[in-house]
Amino acid sequence: MSPMSTIPIHRPEFGTLFFNGSPSPYKCLRVASSWTMAMDSKFSPTKKNSINNDYSMKKKEELSMQLSTPPISKVEILNSNDLQFDRLQPSDQELGRVNRFEFGQFVAREAVLDEEYWTAAWLRAESHWENRSYERYVDNFKRKFAEQEFHALKRRCKVQNGDSCACIITVRKEQKNAKHSILKSVVGTLDLNIRYLLQGETYPGERVKAPLFCCINRTPPSRYGYIANLCVIKSARRQGIASNMLSFAIGAAKSNAGVTQVYVHVDKNNSPAQILYQKMGFEMVEMANSQLVEQTYLLRLQT
């Protein structure tokens, strides 16, 4: 053994943050440090008193400890902190010609501001974790869910390969004597997607034997609407918000995109949602539900 021996105790390492049972793209640095202990082989416990009394001996028989911290690598930084969460709801004049649908004390329209997209994402996080509030770190999970959904929503709302997506929100009507922030005014949300059936499909997701190099048939008959992520804040339910948002989305799909069919997936255990869609005229696609492995029903509305 050499006069100076180095003993590594811990090593720093990076781990993957697991969210909701699956690995998340966000990396976190585990709290660990690299310790190196350098020890003089001439050191002896019997010389302790002499070391304390003799400064020169203390310099020769030395115990040094060194802490080294590795540089933190760059990770993806979410920019939700740049949003103005106290921003007031835009007025009708500021919105201009944005298509809207008024009912009672509410207005359904397309989201136009980043703060509205983020609030819609937060409502979805609240809805997703609504019945799991007893779990540990649920607030952290909701925050992470909302941030991921916010960025995914902004990407979806950009037209890609002819498909389009619009984030529909319901807000409280603007009052003359009281102004609401965006966070407090958005009470409901859903996504309206305009898509095309693949070659050979009669409904979305049908398992067909398509040609090896098939293409999407981008003709009006193959275009359809698809609704997803419908949710309403708990304090504003049973006021017709969900049904009126659906009516607005269906009307927009029919008038703007010319679709004749609108689809939605509903959880088999979600009876209230099934009743809502059936009241709106949706019917179950029997052919699809006999093939689905997931615990969902596919419903269709003929417009």
Side-chain angles (χ1 to χ4, degrees):
M1 184 173 180
S2 61
M4 298 294 289
S5 300
T6 302
I7 308 173
I9 298 179
H10 294 290
R11 293 182 180 179
E13 52 183 303
F14 285 88
T16 302
L17 177 64
F18 279 77
F19 170 68
N20 199 20
S22 59
S24 168
Y26 303 97
K27 290 186 176 180
C28 60
L29 177 64
R30 295 178 183 169
V31 181
S33 301
S34 176
W35 292 79
T36 302
M37 182 177 292
M39 184 176 295
D40 196 324
S41 61
K42 297 179 180 179
F43 178 77
S44 173
T46 59
K47 297 182 180 180
K48 182 176 180 181
N49 293 332
S50 61
I51 293 174
N52 292 332
N53 296 328
D54 192 335
Y55 180 76
S56 61
M57 287 291 293
K58 184 178 179 180
K59 294 294 291 181
K60 292 180 180 179
E61 298 168 357
E62 157 183 279
L63 177 67
S64 65
M65 188 173 289
Q66 178 181 348
L67 173 65
S68 61
T69 304
I72 299 177
S73 62
K74 286 187 176 181
V75 296
E76 182 178 356
I77 300 176
L78 300 172
N79 296 320
S80 59
N81 292 332
D82 297 335
L83 301 178
Q84 302 176 27
F85 291 112
D86 58 346
R87 185 172 182 173
L88 295 179
Q89 178 184 330
S91 64
D92 295 341
Q93 291 76 18
E94 291 173 322
L95 291 172
R97 297 183 179 181
V98 175
N99 192 21
R100 60 175 65 86
F101 176 62
E102 298 186 11
F103 59 95
Q105 298 299 313
F106 305 100
V107 179
R109 60 173 174 81
E110 186 174 347
V112 294
L113 300 175
D114 282 349
E115 288 80 3
E116 293 174 341
Y117 283 107
W118 197 96
T119 307
W122 179 254
L123 289 186
R124 297 169 190 186
E126 289 276 2
S127 177
H128 182 77
W129 295 94
E130 182 174 318
N131 298 322
R132 302 162 68 179
S133 58
Y134 57 88
E135 296 186 14
R136 294 184 65 186
Y137 312 118
V138 65
D139 290 337
N140 292 336
F141 290 152
K142 285 194 292 187
R143 175 78 180 193
K144 186 65 67 177
F145 184 103
E147 289 174 335
Q148 292 175 346
E149 175 62 16
F150 167 69
H151 290 288
L153 182 59
K154 291 297 296 292
R155 289 193 299 268
R156 290 198 300 269
C157 288
K158 295 180 180 179
V159 178
Q160 297 178 350
N161 300 323
D163 295 343
S164 65
C165 174
C167 176
I168 306 297
I169 58 174
T170 294
V171 301
R172 303 182 190 276
K173 273 187 179 179
E174 184 182 12
Q175 302 295 326
K176 294 182 179 179
N177 300 326
K179 295 286 187 179
H180 295 292
S181 66
I182 292 174
L183 274 177
K184 293 182 178 180
S185 64
V186 178
V187 295
T189 179
L190 64 80
D191 285 348
L192 171 62
N193 303 271
I194 304 300
R195 301 173 178 172
Y196 291 87
L197 294 170
L198 296 176
Q199 186 174 351
E201 284 186 338
T202 56
Y203 59 85
E206 183 180 7
R207 296 168 183 165
V208 297
K209 293 183 178 180
L212 183 60
F213 299 102
C214 68
C215 60
I216 299 175
N217 185 13
R218 300 189 183 282
T219 59
S222 67
R223 188 187 296 126
Y224 68 92
Y226 183 82
I227 290 174
N229 300 315
L230 170 62
C231 60
V232 177
I233 192 172
K234 201 170 185 177
S235 61
R237 291 173 186 170
R238 299 185 180 278
Q239 299 185 56
I241 294 175
S243 57
N244 280 282
M245 271 198 307
L246 280 170
S247 296
F248 176 71
I250 293 168
K254 184 177 180 180
S255 60
N256 297 335
V259 303
T260 58
Q261 299 181 101
V262 179
Y263 293 89
V264 64
H265 278 103
V266 184
D267 191 281
K268 292 182 178 180
N269 298 319
N270 194 343
S271 298
Q274 294 175 33
I275 294 172
L276 169 65
Y277 287 114
Q278 288 170 0
K279 285 183 177 179
M280 298 296 298
F282 283 82
E283 297 178 348
M284 190 179 301
V285 182
E286 297 291 348
M287 296 179 298
N289 295 306
S290 63
Q291 297 184 24
L292 286 176
V293 178
E294 298 83 0
Q295 296 297 311
T296 57
Y297 291 126
L298 179 64
L299 307 181
R300 175 176 58 197
L301 172 69
Q302 302 278 1
T303 62

